[in-house]
Amino acid sequence: MQDSNTANFIFKVPYLISYISRFMTLLPGDVISTGTPPGVGLGMKPPVYLKEGDVMELGIDGLGISKQKVIGYWESR
């Protein structure tokens, strides 16, 4: 549902790094959780939720793509 990238952030990545660095030392491998882009299912009318068979995909240019398929609760047991 969501399709976005860092160009759409309210605060740009260099600013976020600079701001966070005021309060803590950032080390290689640290992750900065920035929230979510527009298109969240809960904000739709009516709300849209993940269902069995849906595929979630996320990626970072130059790093790769991760895909997860939603399975039913009983399939995972």
Side-chain angles (χ1 to χ4, degrees), residues 4-72:
S4 190
N5 59 54
T6 56
N8 296 321
F9 282 0
I10 294 171
F11 299 105
K12 302 303 178 198
V13 173
Y15 174 82
L16 292 173
I17 293 170
S18 172
Y19 183 80
I20 293 167
S21 294
R22 294 180 200 174
F23 307 102
M24 63 183 291
T25 301
L26 291 171
L27 301 172
D30 283 348
V31 174
I32 299 173
S33 297
T34 58
T36 185
V40 176
L42 184 61
M44 297 182 174
K45 295 192 188 321
V48 177
Y49 301 99
L50 291 169
K51 60 188 177 306
E52 186 174 352
D54 285 348
V55 176
M56 299 170 286
E57 180 178 316
L58 63 90
I60 300 175
D61 291 344
L63 187 58
I65 296 174
S66 173
K67 292 183 182 183
Q68 295 85 36
K69 183 176 180 182
V70 178
I71 61 171

